[in-house]
Amino acid sequence: TQLLEQSPQFLSIQEGENLTVYCNSSSVFSSLQWYRQEPGEGPVLLVTVVTGGEVKKLKRLTFQFGDARKDSSLHITAAQPGDTGLYLCAGRTIEYSGAGSYQLTFGKGTKLSVIP
Amino acid sequence: NAGVTQTPKFRILKIGQSMTLQCTQDMNHNYMYWYRQDPGMGLKLIYYSVGAGITDKGEVPNGYNVSRSTTEDFPLRLELAAPSQTSVYFCASILRLAGGMETQYFGPGTRLLVL
């Protein structure tokens, strides 16, 4: 079983501060995704990174995939209360079992609270 | 498109009862998944399907069954409910794009309490 560890588990910051959350594994992933989940709702995909060293930006959010494709980070600049939520990373491994199936492994998440 | 829909939103079961969690997607996606999410534990894959008539076990399949008779529907069956199955259940479907990109769409979840 592939293991994805996210840190920190909890993060409470003031509006306007910057923050970085991490997603680490000893395994190599072919791609990695970041999701945000709000209470009572399903996760919503933010970004997919597929190339080692890749950096993607989504407004104030910057995502980076490690060169070895074992880790990723999410940096938020000037956090706002609307950024509050559970941030999940998920790595994709490809396991072929005749039907060409594949699975995503999720981390436990980082719960972010941005205080106005 | 309605995306991924799940019913019911919330259910209370007694130990030993059975129920089916419904999941439907109208995006013609081949890949569909069932996850459970326990507090502080992230999402665990229960079962998945790569197309109609094809299903396979995920990480935590015990106590569950699935079927995939159509592309749209992927119901999850609990035959003998146990307190350990108290959780929030999410259904998802995936659109695969070129270059390894993919988008996973989640339903709103079913909250299940087994007493």
Side-chain angles (χ1 to χ4, degrees):
Chain A
T1 302
Q2 313 292 345
L3 187 63
L4 272 171
E5 295 188 359
Q6 290 191 243
S7 60
Q9 269 190 291
F10 302 96
L11 188 57
S12 182
I13 62 171
Q14 294 289 331
E15 182 177 358
E17 292 183 348
N18 302 332
L19 67 111
T20 302
V21 297
Y22 300 93
C23 176
N24 295 294
S25 176
S26 58
S27 302
V28 176
F29 292 97
S30 59
S31 65
L32 197 134
Q33 300 179 338
W34 283 93
Y35 294 81
R36 181 169 68 214
Q37 183 179 20
E38 299 189 18
E41 299 182 7
V44 175
L45 180 66
L46 296 174
V47 76
T48 301
V49 286
V50 296
T51 305
E54 182 177 4
V55 176
K56 281 192 173 180
K57 292 192 174 184
L58 185 66
K59 296 183 181 179
R60 293 176 294 99
L61 279 61
T62 301
F63 304 86
Q64 185 162 8
F65 201 13
D67 291 341
R69 292 186 293 154
K70 293 183 178 182
D71 54 84
S72 181
S73 63
L74 160 59
H75 181 78
I76 300 179
T77 303
Q80 299 178 1
D83 296 327
T84 294
L86 178 68
Y87 288 82
L88 296 161
C89 67
R92 189 181 106 172
T93 59
I94 301 176
E95 295 182 8
Y96 292 98
S97 60
S101 61
Y102 62 94
Q103 302 182 30
L104 277 172
T105 299
F106 279 83
K108 295 181 180 181
T110 292
K111 194 168 186 178
L112 172 65
S113 295
V114 181
I115 303 166
Chain B
N1 288 348
V4 180
T5 57
Q6 292 183 239
T7 57
K9 289 187 179 180
F10 178 67
R11 181 78 181 268
I12 299 174
L13 281 182
K14 293 182 179 178
I15 295 172
Q17 286 186 320
S18 62
M19 76 165 292
T20 299
L21 284 69
Q22 301 291 345
C23 175
T24 300
Q25 53 94 7
D26 61 357
M27 297 172 284
N28 202 33
H29 293 167
N30 285 326
Y31 295 79
M32 295 188 73
Y33 297 77
W34 273 106
Y35 296 93
R36 58 178 288 173
Q37 186 176 35
D38 301 322
M41 296 300 293
L43 281 85
K44 300 283 187 182
L45 181 64
I46 305 171
Y47 269 95
Y48 63 98
S49 170
V50 300
I54 305 170
T55 63
D56 209 345
K57 296 178 180 179
E59 186 180 356
V60 289
N62 292 344
Y64 308 94
N65 275 302
V66 294
S67 60
R68 186 91 182 273
S69 58
T70 66
T71 298
E72 295 77 19
D73 299 308
F74 190 38
L76 177 71
R77 178 84 177 161
L78 282 71
E79 291 294 349
L80 291 170
S84 61
Q85 294 178 304
T86 292
S87 188
V88 182
Y89 291 84
F90 288 101
C91 178
S93 69
I94 285 183
L95 170 66
R96 299 181 70 184
L97 303 171
M101 301 298 290
E102 63 188 38
T103 300
Q104 184 162 209
Y105 297 88
F106 281 86
T110 293
R111 189 175 298 271
L112 177 66
L113 179 61
V114 182
L115 299 174

